[in-house]
Amino acid sequence: QSVLTQPPSASGTPGQRVTISCSGSSSNIGSNTVNWYQQLPGTAPKLLIYSNNQRPSGVPDRFSGSKSGTSASLAISGLQSEDEADYYCAAWDDSLNGPWVFGGGTKLTVL
Amino acid sequence: QVQLQESGPGLVKPSQTLSLTCTVSGGSISSGSYYWSWIRQPAGKGLEWIGRIYTSGSTNYNPSLKSRVTISVDTSKNQFSLKLSSVTAADTAVYYCARELIGLGGDYVDYWGQGTLVTVSS
């Protein structure tokens, strides 16, 4: 069971806006920034959002992140077929000086 | 553009030690701006952070694996390595090496290797 809680699945039609939630605790999300990763089938994860709401260069502005208290969210607007992937949230956990903890992942299906 | 490449045996016998090496290209592993990490993913499951090392040799390990894990760095070869002892079938996974950027606004893994599948089986 993952330390961070994500819904196992999400779906939407092309052009829609979808959000994926990530719930944690005071020792991880509550006191540290949240990062999001996209994993396309058969590939390594790719950084999507860092420091709660920052996009690396090359990531479309359709992707956005937010954090409030011990929860975070990833929003994808203008959904496209190539967005179909697994999405993971991650945060450092201050208990025992780490570790990085991840959500269990959310499989996004574009209908 | 930094690249990371894992290498090592794809099959390890139970109770033996899993050993992997990550070769970094396109940047120096001695840079003070990064940690160098290992992360694994069992088939069909989520990500699990194993541990990380700083260029100085300082390490952090996942408490759940700490008794079995050793991460080391060889700056002369621009490589870092993972050793996981007393493996069982539960250690079967794709193992990724990764670079973790030490950011002012928070750290994050910004580059990943392609991953290597390690199967624990007799």
Side-chain angles (χ1 to χ4, degrees):
Chain A
Q1 190 162 348
S2 301
V3 174
L4 305 182
T5 302
Q6 296 180 236
S9 64
S11 63
T13 56
Q16 267 191 330
R17 182 178 188 271
V18 298
T19 61
I20 297 171
S21 62
C22 175
S23 178
S25 68
S26 58
S27 65
N28 42 65
I29 294 179
S31 50
N32 295 295
T33 57
V34 177
N35 307 315
W36 290 90
Y37 299 92
Q38 178 193 59
Q39 187 175 34
L40 298 170
T43 68
K46 167 192 163 186
L47 179 66
L48 200 62
I49 297 287
Y50 67 95
S51 298
N52 301 330
N53 54 18
Q54 302 300 301
R55 282 186 309 276
S57 64
V59 173
D61 60 6
R62 302 186 295 105
F63 294 90
S64 62
S66 63
K67 174 187 138 175
S68 178
T70 59
S71 294
S73 291
L74 172 71
I76 309 171
S77 59
L79 198 61
Q80 299 181 3
S81 58
E82 57 260 39
D83 298 334
E84 188 160 293
D86 293 325
Y87 293 84
Y88 294 91
C89 58
W92 183 258
D93 196 300
D94 284 338
S95 55
L96 301 176
N97 193 26
W100 280 102
V101 291
F102 292 92
T106 298
K107 182 171 182 55
L108 175 64
T109 301
V110 181
L111 302 169
Chain B
Q1 174 94 349
V2 66
Q3 292 185 313
L4 299 93
Q5 179 67 57
E6 306 89 351
S7 60
L11 181 64
V12 181
K13 289 183 167 50
S15 79
Q16 293 191 341
T17 296
L18 177 161
S19 295
L20 295 174
T21 296
C22 182
T23 301
V24 179
S25 58
S28 173
I29 204 169
S30 298
S31 168
S33 302
Y34 309 107
Y35 289 104
W36 304 93
S37 298
W38 289 97
I39 297 164
R40 68 181 183 179
Q41 184 174 35
K45 296 188 178 180
L47 301 164
E48 181 180 34
W49 183 78
I50 300 170
R52 68 184 185 184
I53 190 164
Y54 190 63
T55 184
S56 64
S58 171
T59 55
N60 298 104
Y61 298 134
N62 189 324
S64 68
L65 298 169
K66 187 174 184 177
S67 64
R68 299 194 292 131
V69 173
T70 302
I71 297 176
S72 58
V73 64
D74 186 339
T75 55
S76 67
K77 295 182 179 178
N78 229 34
Q79 296 176 333
F80 62 107
S81 299
L82 168 71
K83 290 189 186 299
L84 181 66
S85 64
S86 305
V87 297
T88 69
D91 295 310
T92 294
V94 174
Y95 285 75
Y96 296 101
C97 61
R99 187 183 83 170
E100 177 185 336
L101 187 146
I102 303 170
L104 289 175
D107 299 351
Y108 51 92
V109 172
D110 60 349
Y111 283 97
W112 300 68
Q114 65 183 27
T116 188
L117 174 63
V118 178
T119 301
V120 178
S121 175
S122 55

